[in-house]
Amino acid sequence: MKPQSLDMITRLVGFDTVSRNSNLDLIHYVRDYLAQHGVEGHLVMNDEGTKANLYATVGPNVEGGIVLSGHTDVVPVDGQPWDTDPFQLVEKDGRLFGRGTCDMKAFSAIALAMVPDWVRAPLKRPIHFALSYDEEIGCFGAPSMIDRLATDIARPGAVIVGEPTSMRPIVAHKGIAALRTTVIGHEAHSSQVQRGVSAVMTAARLIAFIDDMMAENKANADPSCRFEPPYTTLHVGVVNGGTALNIISRECTFTWDIRTLPGDDWRAYLKRFEAYANSLLPAMRAIAPGASISTEILADAPPLQDLGGGAQALVFDLCGHHHTGVVPYAAEAGQFQERGFSVVLCGPGSIDQAHQPNEYIDISQVTACEAFLEKLTGRLTA
């Protein structure tokens, strides 16, 4: 592991960029670091001005360059039994511990550490950085940056999204839609159930319906499907409702997600869900005319489809093999592909360590990523 890689990983992990916080301190640090080496960083702010994407080009802005994409936000550490400060890098037993070491600051840090070398190298095609915000809560940040990349840089030959794949090429991932359903019932004394409409119990029926849809998918799964699990999943993660044991609940909300296989449409599941919800309304409104069931879309990130293309060919060559994989989580790769970019996932670390207490990356993975990017340099200077 190069000292400059270790230094940059240490610096990026040191920024508390949990998604609920601003990422501007990290983004401004990266912009200033790039400027020190004569590279201009461009910011794409969110509407509130509290977060930003950053994109930058090293080398000539000509076609055929490579985009290195990574998200800057990390998941929370609240309630997790960490043995060390999550935002202070710790090296121990051949591993680097800290929030974001694996998912996915190491990839961006290793690439940034190579900027001085890339500035000096006779690059014939450029390297573009694309650092985003709010990937962990729905891939919200990347689309506005991708729009800018589509117009501001010469058409790249490939996008490499450095999610933790153990440096294996990943050619497809699932999509995700995040939703929140709110049930409004009617309060009454719990001894007089005929006078009330329980939002909690109605929500329970809706949640059971969601689970039933997933059970159908599981029963009809294609055994040759490469994904694990090999079907579109539906999951309710949070439920909130009710006031007290002896009050029929007026309101209940729950958040859920649909993780779709490539080629599957989450809107079809929402349509079935809404049809079932509508079938419950007449009985609810016979007691309480104001009763309602509503669902809002919180996030929609498309899947990455295995379409072949230049990104796969490049990464196969850099990795020295064609052993590809697919992953069940969602990433920004699908958003790049939706805009016509050729995309593949390949980055250091294992997803098995992501989002865990004592998150870590093996130093051997850092070294492997360094070698991968050095080979990329050779390709772009040839």
Side-chain angles (χ1 to χ4, degrees):
M1 177 175 58
K2 298 178 180 179
Q4 54 267 41
S5 295
L6 177 61
D7 178 66
M8 188 60 72
I9 296 171
T10 301
R11 290 179 182 274
L12 296 194
V13 168
F15 292 101
D16 180 355
T17 53
V18 169
S19 302
R20 62 175 175 252
N21 300 332
S22 171
N23 73 333
L24 289 182
D25 286 346
L26 183 152
I27 289 293
H28 290 160
Y29 168 77
V30 172
R31 182 187 60 184
D32 294 344
Y33 167 81
L34 292 171
Q36 290 170 10
H37 297 285
V39 177
E40 183 180 5
H42 304 274
L43 304 191
V44 183
M45 307 295 297
N46 67 352
D47 292 340
E48 297 76 23
T50 57
K51 299 182 181 182
N53 303 300
L54 179 148
Y55 67 97
T57 298
V58 183
N61 190 19
V62 298
E63 292 188 356
I66 307 301
V67 176
L68 303 178
S69 174
H71 61 81
T72 61
D73 61 317
V74 296
V75 296
V77 299
D78 308 65
Q80 292 187 337
W82 283 75
D83 296 330
T84 60
D85 182 343
F87 301 105
Q88 182 174 339
L89 194 74
V90 174
E91 181 178 350
K92 182 180 179 182
D93 300 328
R95 295 169 173 172
L96 302 178
F97 291 85
R99 177 57 90 217
T101 49
C102 165
D103 187 16
M104 57 171 290
K105 290 181 175 179
F107 174 77
S108 299
I110 296 164
L112 287 167
M114 294 190 69
V115 166
D117 294 335
W118 286 336
V119 168
R120 291 190 295 267
L123 294 176
K124 296 180 180 178
R125 288 172 289 159
I127 294 168
H128 307 283
F129 283 92
L131 306 182
S132 63
Y133 65 86
D134 282 359
E135 188 271 352
E136 292 289 7
I137 57 174
C139 299
F140 291 126
S144 61
M145 177 176 60
I146 295 171
D147 288 343
R148 292 283 294 274
L149 291 172
T151 58
D152 291 3
I153 67 172
R155 191 69 179 176
V159 177
I160 301 172
V161 179
E163 289 282 351
T165 71
S166 300
M167 296 308 300
R168 292 190 308 126
I170 297 297
V171 296
H173 67 63
K174 289 185 176 182
I176 182 173
L179 307 106
R180 179 165 55 224
T181 295
T182 301
V183 180
I184 301 297
H186 183 69
E187 290 172 317
H189 195 287
S190 64
S191 68
Q192 297 177 312
V193 294
Q194 76 282 4
R195 297 183 61 240
V197 176
S198 172
V200 167
M201 295 180 72
T202 302
R205 297 177 68 181
L206 293 167
I207 292 169
F209 183 81
I210 290 170
D211 193 50
D212 288 344
M213 286 195 289
M214 186 171 70
E216 290 178 15
N217 290 347
K218 182 177 181 180
N220 297 317
D222 180 356
S224 67
C225 179
R226 298 178 67 190
F227 283 91
E228 181 61 37
Y231 49 87
T232 291
T233 60
L234 299 94
H235 165 258
V236 176
V238 179
V239 182
N240 289 293
T243 304
L245 172 65
N246 57 355
I247 302 175
I248 295 174
S249 55
R250 178 185 181 275
E251 182 173 346
C252 184
T253 64
F254 57 91
T255 53
W256 51 298
D257 65 36
I258 308 172
R259 294 181 180 265
T260 49
L261 292 172
D264 205 353
D265 185 359
W266 65 267
R267 296 170 186 83
Y269 296 96
L270 177 59
K271 185 176 180 180
R272 288 180 60 190
F273 174 83
E274 289 181 331
Y276 177 70
N278 289 336
S279 75
L280 302 179
L281 286 174
M284 297 168 64
R285 289 175 174 169
I287 299 171
S292 64
I293 302 171
S294 59
T295 299
E296 58 184 312
I297 301 165
L298 304 178
D300 173 16
L304 174 67
Q305 302 184 61
D306 182 1
L307 301 179
Q312 288 190 24
L314 171 68
V315 173
F316 292 165
D317 182 57
L318 296 176
C319 290
H321 61 75
H322 288 197
H323 303 301
T324 64
V326 301
V327 291
Y329 56 80
E332 297 167 346
Q335 294 173 323
F336 277 100
Q337 187 179 72
E338 199 171 51
R339 290 300 307 272
F341 293 91
S342 180
V343 196
V344 68
L345 277 73
C346 187
S350 169
I351 195 66
D352 292 344
Q353 276 75 58
H355 299 193
Q356 302 292 313
N358 302 316
E359 178 184 346
Y360 69 85
I361 187 170
D362 287 316
I363 291 175
S364 61
Q365 283 288 299
V366 175
T367 303
C369 186
E370 290 171 338
F372 176 90
L373 293 177
E374 287 171 355
K375 289 181 182 179
L376 176 62
T377 306
R379 287 290 299 268
L380 298 179
T381 56

